[in-house]
């Protein structure tokens, strides 16, 4: 099946045979062009007319829109003149982050209004979930999992219950590289099995919930690595510790750090919305993961500080408790699928990513 990445959809499929008289012509039948042009060819078109209110405009509903990735994704969609529905549990928080004067036309929907927002949307992006870079207790661990499962389950239910003609055509749901477990020696790609620790269990349930969506909806599961960007994410927590301990590696320094720049993860999600080739599991990590010691060397260089005194495990555990395992243990994850799809990474090397963020 040929795929055309049009932003304005006409129908789910078109059949375009040549006229019968041309295809039955003996001279033409002996031509190599016969097999290329005279068979009925099926074209898949990317969206449907009821879901494009102006030209090639999309309508995208986003959960987790007030988070680190969500904020930047909403900014990108809005800048590109798409309609955005922010699905939130706190209208006041969403209105503070997306004020009307800066984001005219954005629709903020509390949970009771999610159904009406999802119906008629071109696509849904699911980024909701309690941050994992926090101090874990048994209650927090339950909330880390349930916050993801509950929202994903609700979104899937609302997509599935929508009448077919106003059902979203694509569902992009976040998950994480924690799916693979941790290792200092293994290399993981989209085909690798799941790990057996707590975060792997969270990711498996998160993904299996997303995959309950209607079979006619294209699903992209983005297993996101550690996102590097300004004003949030992992760097916001690392830099103060780094400065306090003269910028050395955290823990052994041998653990792998599978990272991605904020711009690249936003662009990857955006591409998954518009490109029908983006389907199934896609690792949201840069092509060149690094060991933690190298990350710290590069961070020290970017900050103009030395990188020699290690940050001891106990300092991180004092801040994050069991949650420190996210940083103290890592995994080497490669974005094979994104590379196969030809995704253009803006930042392939951590040195360039840090330079852009910290300069």
């Amino acid at each position: 099946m040929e795929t055309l990445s049009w932003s304005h959809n006409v129908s789910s499929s078109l059949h375009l045979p040549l006229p019968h008289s041309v295809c039955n012509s003996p001279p033409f039948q002996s031509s190599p062009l016969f097999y290329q042009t005279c068979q009925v060819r099926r074209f898949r078109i990317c969206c449907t007319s009821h879901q494009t209110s102006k030209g090639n405009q999309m309508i995208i509903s986003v959960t987790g829109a007030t988070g680190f990735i969500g904020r930047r994704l909403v900014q990108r969609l809005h800048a590109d003149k798409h309609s955005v529905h922010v699905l939130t549990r706190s209208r006041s928080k969403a209105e503070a982050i997306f004020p009307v004067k800066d984001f005219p036309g954005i629709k903020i929907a509390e949970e009771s209004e999610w159904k009406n927002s999802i119906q008629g949307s071109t696509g849904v992006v699911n980024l909701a979930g309690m941050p994992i870079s926090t101090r874990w207790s048994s209650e927090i661990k339950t909330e880390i999992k349930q916050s993801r499962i509950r929202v994903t389950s609700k979104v899937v239910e609302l997509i599935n219950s929508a009448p077919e003609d106003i059902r979203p055509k694509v569902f992009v749901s976040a998950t994480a590289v924690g799916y693979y477990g941790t290792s200092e020696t293994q290399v993981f790609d989209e085909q690798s099995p799941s790990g057996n620790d707590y975060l792997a269990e969270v990711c498996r349930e998160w993904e299996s919930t997303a995959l309950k969506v209607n079979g006619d909806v294209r699903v992209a599961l983005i297993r996101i690595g550690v996102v590097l960007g300004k004003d949030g994410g992992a760097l916001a927590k690392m830099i103060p510790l780094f400065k306090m301990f003269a910028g050395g590696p955290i823990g052994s320094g041998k653990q792998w750090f599978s990272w991605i720049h904020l711009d690249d993860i936003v662009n990857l999600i955006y591409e998954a919305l518009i490109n029908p080739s983006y389907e199934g599991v896609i690792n949201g990590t840069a092509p060149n993961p690094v060991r933690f010691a190298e990350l710290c060397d590069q961070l020290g260089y970017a900050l103009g500080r030395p990188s020699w005194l290690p940050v001891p495990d106990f300092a991180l555990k004092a801040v994050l408790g069991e949650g420190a395992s996210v940083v103290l243990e890592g995994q080497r994850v490669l974005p094979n699928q994104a590379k196969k799809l030809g995704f253009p990474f803006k930042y392939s090397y951590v040195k360039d990513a840090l330079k852009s963020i910290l300069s």
Side-chain angles (χ1 to χ4, degrees):
M1 184 171 81
E2 294 188 22
T3 302
L4 295 184
S5 185
W6 292 2
S7 7
H8 186 88
N9 279 349
V10 184
S11 73
S12 59
S13 63
L14 295 175
H15 295 280
L16 301 173
L18 255 71
H20 188 266
S21 58
V22 174
C23 284
N24 281 342
S25 149
F28 192 74
Q29 284 182 338
S30 62
S31 158
L33 287 175
F34 172 76
Y35 290 102
Q36 296 173 29
T37 55
C38 280
Q39 295 174 8
V40 173
R41 306 177 75 179
R42 188 163 177 260
F43 293 79
R44 180 175 171 184
I45 313 290
C46 184
C47 21
T48 52
S49 55
H50 79 268
Q51 290 167 329
T52 51
S53 47
K54 295 178 190 168
N56 63 356
Q57 183 191 59
M58 295 186 294
I59 303 169
I60 304 298
S61 289
V62 185
T63 72
T66 59
F68 185 48
I69 300 171
R71 289 195 301 264
R72 183 65 68 87
L73 177 65
V74 170
Q75 289 167 3
R76 166 83 198 273
L77 289 164
H78 185 258
D80 284 0
K81 310 298 184 193
H82 300 296
S83 291
V84 182
H85 296 175
V86 171
L87 308 185
T88 183
R89 288 192 294 167
S90 172
R91 179 180 293 278
S92 58
K93 181 180 179 183
E95 286 174 344
I97 291 171
F98 305 113
V100 174
K101 64 180 175 61
D102 298 326
F103 296 91
I106 279 187
K107 178 178 176 181
I108 293 174
E110 289 192 294
E111 225 166 321
S112 60
E113 305 164 299
W114 287 14
K115 178 180 177 181
N116 290 338
S117 289
I118 285 173
Q119 291 187 0
S121 288
T122 314
V124 179
V125 178
N126 178 36
L127 299 171
M130 181 183 188
I132 61 170
S133 53
T134 185
R135 188 176 179 83
W136 293 358
S137 62
S138 57
E139 293 82 9
I140 293 290
K141 285 172 77 172
T142 300
E143 181 57 21
I144 284 171
K145 184 195 281 191
Q146 289 308 316
S147 61
R148 287 161 172 75
I149 306 304
R150 189 186 69 81
V151 173
T152 305
S153 183
K154 183 175 179 71
V155 168
V156 166
E157 180 189 322
L158 292 173
I159 293 172
N160 290 350
S161 65
E164 190 178 353
D165 60 330
I166 53 171
R167 184 182 295 141
K169 298 301 178 195
V170 55
F171 180 40
V172 180
S173 197
T175 168
V177 295
Y179 175 91
Y180 301 111
T182 62
S183 173
E184 284 187 9
T185 56
Q186 284 180 273
V187 180
F188 302 101
D189 65 17
E190 288 86 354
Q191 306 305 315
S192 301
S194 184
N196 52 19
D197 59 12
Y198 163 70
L199 286 180
E201 178 192 318
V202 170
C203 293
R204 283 195 302 274
E205 288 194 37
W206 198 3
E207 293 185 15
S208 65
T209 303
L211 290 171
K212 291 176 182 171
V213 79
N214 184 288
D216 293 335
V217 177
R218 177 170 60 86
V219 181
L221 295 173
I222 314 290
R223 289 184 186 149
I224 302 175
V226 182
V227 180
L228 302 180
K230 283 180 181 160
D231 309 320
L235 279 184
K237 286 190 165 63
M238 285 167 59
I239 288 172
L241 268 180
F242 192 87
K243 288 179 173 176
M244 191 188 308
F245 287 94
I250 294 174
S252 71
K254 293 178 183 174
Q255 70 272 40
W256 283 98
F257 190 80
S258 293
W259 60 278
I260 188 166
H261 192 286
L262 180 59
D263 288 353
D264 278 331
I265 192 62
V266 166
N267 291 343
L268 185 67
I269 292 166
Y270 191 99
E271 192 67 23
L273 285 168
I274 64 173
N275 188 333
S277 299
Y278 283 61
E279 192 162 10
V281 174
I282 302 168
N283 286 335
T285 59
N288 299 289
V290 292
R291 291 195 187 268
F292 218 92
E294 183 184 341
L295 172 78
C296 291
D297 282 345
Q298 297 292 352
L299 189 51
Y301 181 79
L303 288 169
R305 296 180 65 88
S307 175
W308 55 272
L309 182 62
V311 178
D313 289 13
F314 74 80
L316 199 64
K317 284 176 178 170
V319 177
L320 297 178
E322 196 184 344
S325 65
V326 177
V327 177
L328 294 172
E329 303 164 25
Q331 58 280 102
R332 186 183 184 188
V333 179
L334 301 180
N336 286 359
Q337 192 60 20
K339 288 171 79 175
K340 274 184 201 166
L341 289 163
F343 178 76
F345 285 93
K346 192 173 171 186
Y347 300 98
S348 292
Y349 295 94
V350 76
K351 180 180 179 180
D352 299 328
L354 291 173
K355 186 178 174 185
S356 80
I357 293 163
L358 299 169
S359 62

